[in-house]
Amino acid sequence: MSALLDSLAAGFGGDPGRRAALDAALATGLPGPRSESWKYTSLRALERRSFGAATGGFMVDTALLADIPAPRIVFVNGGYSDALSDTAPIPGLTIGRTGAVASLPLIEDRGDAVFARLNAALADDGISLTVADGAQVERPVHLVFVGAPADGDLAWHLRHHIALGADASLTLVEHHIDAAAHRHLDNSVMSLRLADRAALRHVRLQQRDAGATSFLRTDAELQAASAYTRVDVEAGGALSRHELDVRLLGKAASLTANGVLLAGGRAHVDTRLGIRHVARDTSCELKWRGIGDQRGRVVFHGGITIDAGADGTDARLSNKNLLLSPTAEIDTQPVLVIHADEVQAAHGATVGQLDPGALFYLRSRGLPAPEARRLLTTAFVREPLAAIAMPELRAQAEVGLDRALAALARA
């Protein structure tokens, strides 16, 4: 057994159901290069590390949250911070903690889903958001996850659940940030359930410290005529992996999932999409951009499956990437599996470098080389953010992206 799993399992005191999930994780062990979904993300260095349990009680400077408005729900090192949160009552929205929820949706267990099993066994907190039927929550709800220095390396496991009733709508913004350098491990799962004609707008901004490790999984189910729109900006961290699994279960359900992946320094950024069209007349639009610089590595898997009977599906995936350094690496896998006849589907991926002609044009107009590169890379990654309909929220995402690009240039 690895030092990592030994340390995470130490002191376990859960119920028999959780014990079974933990035993399954320990028996399986960490996935290796023979696992198809982990072949580009090595866990060899991580399995030798040990982590202590995060016990909460950490505080950070409130200035860190100055640009994040209410309603705001804050966790620091995996512990809920009442002092930093601002959760005034909102009509139609119930905010709770998943530790008080009697039962949570099951997460599909794959053979190599060891971190989801660990989460099922060890998670004892998280946020529950429930939007009542017909409720239109106008103000974005911000979930903030902060990493902060501590005595030793810590690990935490959060489980979140968001449910929208019929004809309900919600805007959700995730912020993954750090107060200072640390080497903690965040292993979290979020389940999303959209009832008929519900609409969820979801933005996730991740800019972790260079030593941080995170394994995040988002599991969504969409019923008839529901619409899920999300944009991810993924930057930073020693190792960051996000698995986005979406099942379109109801007729005319739609998904728009765009993202930007940035890896500089020695960062390893891994995103894995698993989109499954089950019902007919469903649609997905997936537009992702990646940049690798210095010794950074971007891994992207865009998987779309169209089940038998899901006629009328319209599925499109685009993944374009830039290599800014000869030592950076980008691995992209667009996958399209079709079991239905009457569908429209397209997917494509490219990996290239900045256009020398465009660089020459900008240089000839008096721009220094670094500024010319910045303008071209910014234009390249801004396109996925167009899916954010709210101007103020899109501006906030653009600011976060610009900061990440500036950090990438300094790495």
Side-chain angles (χ1 to χ4, degrees):
M1 190 184 301
S2 71
L4 170 68
L5 295 179
D6 275 340
S7 67
L8 296 181
F12 175 80
D15 59 40
R18 287 173 173 255
R19 181 76 245 183
L22 180 61
D23 288 343
L26 298 178
T28 304
L30 296 179
R34 292 187 178 181
S35 172
E36 181 62 29
S37 61
W38 289 89
K39 65 186 296 184
Y40 298 112
T41 298
S42 173
L43 300 175
R44 193 168 299 171
L46 183 65
E47 70 179 351
R48 295 192 291 268
R49 295 181 57 195
S50 297
F51 296 88
T55 56
F58 296 94
M59 287 297 296
V60 297
D61 189 344
T62 56
L64 184 67
L65 310 176
D67 296 331
I68 303 177
R72 182 178 68 222
I73 304 164
V74 182
F75 286 78
V76 181
N77 287 355
Y80 175 75
S81 174
D82 185 64
L84 297 173
S85 300
D86 186 342
T87 56
I90 300 173
L93 174 65
T94 301
I95 301 176
R97 307 273 286 280
T98 51
V101 176
S103 62
L104 292 170
L106 294 176
I107 300 298
E108 182 182 0
D109 189 0
R110 300 186 294 265
D112 55 8
V114 61
F115 290 100
R117 294 192 193 108
L118 288 170
N119 183 276
L122 302 174
D124 58 5
D125 203 358
I127 284 298
S128 170
L129 301 178
T130 303
V131 185
D133 290 352
Q136 310 293 308
V137 180
E138 301 295 339
R139 297 173 62 188
V141 176
H142 296 263
L143 304 183
V144 188
F145 306 100
V146 183
D151 294 332
D153 299 338
L154 304 178
W156 56 85
H157 314 265
L158 296 175
R159 176 74 186 276
H160 311 292
H161 179 55
I162 289 86
L164 278 67
D167 300 296
S169 71
L170 175 70
T171 298
L172 182 68
V173 186
E174 290 183 59
H175 306 260
H176 298 259
I177 56 179
D178 292 316
H182 67 80
R183 299 178 72 241
H184 305 323
L185 168 64
D186 176 5
N187 175 33
S188 298
V189 170
M190 176 177 289
S191 58
L192 307 170
R193 298 295 182 265
L194 278 64
D196 294 352
R197 301 172 303 281
L200 175 60
R201 300 166 293 273
H202 190 176
V203 178
R204 178 171 166 271
L205 307 174
Q206 187 275 110
Q207 190 172 7
R208 288 293 198 187
D209 181 76
T213 300
S214 62
F215 296 98
L216 307 178
R217 180 165 171 177
T218 304
D219 183 84
E221 291 186 353
L222 280 57
Q223 300 301 332
S226 61
Y228 180 26
T229 301
R230 71 174 288 146
V231 173
D232 290 76
V233 176
E234 188 95 43
L239 170 57
S240 174
R241 178 176 169 109
H242 180 216
E243 299 179 10
L244 174 62
D245 292 337
V246 182
R247 292 177 293 282
L248 294 95
L249 301 177
K251 181 179 179 180
S254 65
L255 167 69
T256 299
N258 294 355
V260 179
L261 309 175
L262 306 177
R266 291 181 174 271
H268 186 109
V269 176
D270 182 353
T271 291
R272 188 173 184 86
L273 309 184
I275 314 303
R276 183 178 171 191
H277 294 263
V278 179
R280 63 171 299 118
D281 300 326
T282 55
S283 64
C284 75
E285 180 78 26
L286 314 172
K287 189 176 296 182
W288 289 75
R289 301 291 181 263
I291 293 182
D293 202 358
Q294 293 91 44
R295 299 184 66 83
R297 185 173 186 180
V298 172
V299 177
F300 177 81
H301 174 92
I304 300 174
T305 300
I306 303 175
D307 285 359
D311 296 305
T313 290
D314 188 351
R316 303 179 188 279
L317 165 67
S318 169
N319 177 230
K320 298 180 181 180
N321 302 276
L322 281 179
L323 281 170
L324 301 182
S325 164
T327 54
E329 182 173 343
I330 294 177
D331 302 287
T332 178
Q333 297 176 301
V335 177
L336 183 57
V337 179
I338 302 174
H339 299 290
D341 295 326
E342 299 178 7
V343 303
Q344 297 183 64
H347 68 308
T350 62
V351 179
Q353 299 174 326
L354 289 174
D355 182 2
L359 278 172
F360 176 79
Y361 175 84
L362 293 175
R363 293 294 306 280
S364 68
R365 295 306 186 267
L367 285 179
E371 180 67 10
R373 285 163 55 93
R374 186 192 68 80
L375 283 176
L376 290 175
T377 54
T378 299
F380 176 76
V381 296
R382 280 284 180 88
E383 186 181 2
L385 273 58
I388 305 175
M390 298 177 65
E392 64 274 20
L393 189 54
R394 185 168 60 249
Q396 186 177 27
E398 289 173 349
V399 169
L401 179 58
D402 289 344
R403 289 173 179 168
L405 287 171
L408 189 73
R410 295 192 301 267

